[in-house]
Amino acid sequence: MKVIVSGRNVEVTDALRNSVEAKISKLEKYFNRDAEAQATLSVEKQRQIIEVTIPIDGSLLRAEEATDDMYTSIDKVVDKLSRQLRKHKTKLENRNIKFETIRFENIPALKEDEGFIEPKIVKTKRFAIKPMSSEEAVLQMELIGHNFFVYANSDTDEVNVVYKRKDGNYGLIEPEFE
């Protein structure tokens, strides 16, 4: 497994790089050789943050952890990725789906006490989409008190989504159709 380590607002020392590579390499047994993990280390105020993204056959396995200590964040993010892989394996086995990237035989099954319940769609909502600008969509989102808002972009006539980010700013999703 190839591990790419980068830093944002932090210098990635050799010790940090080696620690990230060693910890994430423990997940190597779950993937085929061509798998690649992208780890981004960052510091915001007193928070030491690591974000790891691993592409899996068109989808993404992603985990983020933030603590006061970068090494603790690294340990926690690897634990989180392991749990996600176990859940992912269970979901895919229930649906009889096989991915070429993941080596399922090495992923331990979920224990009964972890209580995985297959999520399902329990509600469908339909609503009229009004053409508006992204700024107006943010205002509408704030008015209704949601953390996302679906609307028709008045400039492009395409469906877009604005959402509130953890940092207090907003994000915009503009889908691309293939």
Side-chain angles (χ1 to χ4, degrees), residues 8-54:
R8 193 175 350 159
N9 299 331
V10 65
E11 180 185 342
V12 180
T13 63
D14 288 339
L16 272 176
R17 182 178 310 280
N18 293 339
S19 179
V20 169
E21 288 173 353
K23 298 286 183 170
I24 293 177
S25 292
K26 289 180 182 178
L27 301 174
E28 186 171 21
K29 63 186 174 189
Y30 302 140
F31 297 95
N32 291 329
R33 294 182 190 269
D34 59 344
E36 181 178 287
Q38 173 71 41
T40 305
L41 309 176
S42 60
V43 176
E44 292 177 6
K45 297 184 182 176
Q46 297 299 321
R47 296 177 42 206
Q48 309 285 314
I49 305 166
I50 180 169
E51 177 186 324
V52 178
T53 307
I54 305 172

Side-chain angles (χ1 to χ4, degrees), residues 134 137-138 147-153 156 158-165 170-177:
S134 54
V138 168
N147 55 4
F148 72 93
F149 188 77
V150 180
Y151 69 101
N153 188 317
T156 63
E158 292 181 345
V159 175
N160 289 174
V161 178
V162 290
Y163 61 95
K164 187 147 186 142
R165 295 171 42 94
Y170 301 99
L172 173 65
I173 300 173
E174 296 177 324
E176 288 182 0
F177 298 99

Side-chain angles (χ1 to χ4, degrees), residues 132-146:
M132 62 181 71
S133 68
S134 54
E135 291 80 15
E136 186 179 351
V138 168
L139 291 173
Q140 288 292 322
M141 178 183 66
E142 292 294 333
L143 283 173
I144 61 174
H146 287 178

Side-chain angles (χ1 to χ4, degrees), residues 108-123:
L110 278 177
K111 297 177 187 133
E112 290 298 321
D113 61 345
E114 289 179 316
F116 175 74
I117 298 172
E118 182 72 28
K120 59 186 174 210
I121 297 173
V122 295
K123 183 177 179 181

